[in-house]
Amino acid sequence: MMISEVYHVAQGLTDLLFPPRCLACENTPGGDTPFCHECASRITFIGDALCPSCGIPYGTAGGDRHLCGDCIIAPPPFSLARALGVYESILMSAIHRFKYGGKTAVGNALGDSMASREYDSLHVAGYDLIIPVPLHPSKLRRRGFNQALILARRIAKKYRIPLDFTTLRRTKPTPAQVKLSGDDRRKNIRGAFAVETKRAVEGRRVLLIDDVYTTGSTVKECARVLMRARASEVAVLTLART
Ligand SMILES: [Zn+2]
Ligand SMILES: [Zn+2]
């Protein structure tokens, strides 16, 4: 028997003994997402009715592709931002299990979903470098893993793009953004990141990965320092956005 056959038999046996579960409920997944049909139907995947710059979804499909108010007032430092789905119900509970419940297997499956999706105007294969939004070392110690790195690793693996999780560093332990308003988030995050070695990003097209895009203040600050280190482009891909 070939090694690949042994692997398939072993995998088949594992699936039989421990059938994979939907990431949100206990049912068996179907189709090509790690969710069961019922749960998958409750996820709002983001289509092409969005702001071409920051990717905020518009309610109606097929509307004209105009910039949103925020991007007109303050053009973001990234070229574009896209997300897999809206941060609500099923996707939100899966992210919570991953991030706060420490279920890294859920994170791997979510990363695979991000990697296999096609995005409006964002062609993952065209990037030179994948960089996850870093956590401050003190937070990393508390959580035990960086959720953005787990997602980024799956995308980098699928597209065979180098993954760099050391060049961009979080130098300031910032309080959680969750309870802050947009303006306070921006002030809170200013100067929180640094590029360790400029040479690593200079002239490169960088794809920045994070779990959730809320006001975008975190990814904007990361994009700003990467562009200042002379990256040729920074695009953003997140799992979900509010
Ligand atoms: Zn389910
Ligand atoms: Zn926008």
Side-chain angles (χ1 to χ4, degrees), residues 22-27 35-40 90:
C22 164
L23 295 192
C25 71
E26 286 297 292
N27 291 328
F35 297 94
C36 70
H37 287 303
E38 163 92 36
C39 292
I90 296 295

Side-chain angles (χ1 to χ4, degrees), residues 8 21 26 29 46 83 89 101 109 112 114 132 141 156 169 171 200 204 222 227 241:
H8 282 299
R21 296 286 176 209
E26 286 297 292
I46 295 171
S89 70
D112 288 340
M114 281 174 89
R141 268 196 302 276
R169 290 192 310 125
T171 50
R204 304 278 172 88
C222 289
M227 289 303 288
R241 75 168 292 156

Side-chain angles (χ1 to χ4, degrees), residues 11-12 14-23 25-30 34:
Q11 188 62 44
T14 309
D15 286 353
L16 203 68
L17 294 173
F18 310 100
R21 296 286 176 209
C22 164
L23 295 192
C25 71
E26 286 297 292
N27 291 328
T28 318

Side-chain angles (χ1 to χ4, degrees), residues 36-54:
C36 70
H37 287 303
E38 163 92 36
C39 292
S41 71
R42 288 166 59 200
I43 296 174
T44 311
F45 290 100
I46 295 171
D48 57 4
L50 42 69
C51 166
S53 176
C54 73

